């Protein structure tokens, strides 16, 4: 009997370990899914519904977000003339063109009760030949939106922030 009891306890212990691994795996999936949705979100072009629906399901499991890129809003190229486009191209080379805004973290951050760490990089990965300085700008609007979002999240312990800008 004693041997059976120990074997059952080990099986129970193994079962608990497998359950914890499943929970960790689920948390990892939910966190990464939310990061992907944010990293691929284009302001004023992408619907926020998918993020809010996913947030509702995963809010209790997300403790940390590492956002490696933030896409800016897309310029409306249908209203620009070829002359304006040439000026815009020159501006992107010199850094004098209008800046574009990024994702508003205020839409989600206060709905994540367990979020303790947030890491954000303002910029675009793998932009290739579509490089423009405006893709990496951290605008005043971005700054005020991020400040409001962080202020609304008192349980946030770590905030990492990175941006690449040509302004000195």
């Amino acid at each position: 009997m004693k041997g059976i009891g120990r074997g059952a306890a080990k099986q129970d212990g193994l079962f608990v370990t497998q359950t914890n691994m499943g929970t960790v795996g689920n948390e990892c999936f939910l966190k990464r899914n939310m990061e992907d949705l944010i990293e691929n979100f284009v302001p004023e072009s992408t619907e926020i519904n998918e993020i809010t629906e996913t947030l509702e399901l995963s809010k209790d499991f997300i403790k940390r977000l590492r956002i490696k890129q933030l896409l800016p809003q897309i310029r409306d190229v249908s209203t620009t003339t070829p002359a304006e486009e040439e000026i815009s191209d020159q501006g992107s080379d010199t850094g004098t063109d209008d800046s574009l805004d990024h994702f508003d973290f205020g839409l989600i951050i206060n709905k994540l009760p367990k979020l303790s760490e947030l890491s954000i990089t303002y910029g675009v990965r793998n932009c290739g030949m579509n490089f423009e300085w405006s893709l990496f700008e951290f605008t005043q609007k971005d700054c005020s939106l991020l400040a409001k979002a962080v202020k609304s999240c008192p349980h946030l312990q770590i905030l990492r922030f990175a941006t690449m800008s040509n302004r000195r």
Side-chain angles (χ1 to χ4, degrees), residues 54-134:
T54 303
L55 182 64
E56 190 59 38
L57 297 171
S58 59
K59 64 183 178 186
D60 294 324
F61 301 99
I62 297 176
K63 299 173 185 169
R64 168 183 3 192
L65 284 174
R66 292 186 180 145
I67 309 302
K68 297 177 188 122
Q69 79 168 0
L70 285 174
L71 301 175
Q73 64 195 38
I74 298 174
R75 281 199 179 94
D76 185 12
V77 293
S78 63
T79 60
T80 58
T81 64
E84 289 173 333
E85 197 171 306
E86 180 63 30
I87 291 170
S88 174
D89 286 345
Q90 291 172 355
S92 68
D93 292 339
T94 61
T96 58
D97 58 339
D98 294 331
S99 297
L100 303 172
D101 300 316
H102 297 86
F103 182 76
D104 178 9
F105 283 93
L107 300 171
I108 65 157
I109 201 167
N110 61 347
K111 297 175 185 166
L112 294 169
K114 296 186 178 181
L115 185 68
S116 62
E117 183 177 338
L118 179 61
S119 178
I120 306 169
T121 300
Y122 280 82
V124 178
R125 297 170 59 180
N126 303 322
C127 61
M129 295 300 291
N130 297 321
F131 176 83
E132 289 185 32
W133 277 114
S134 63

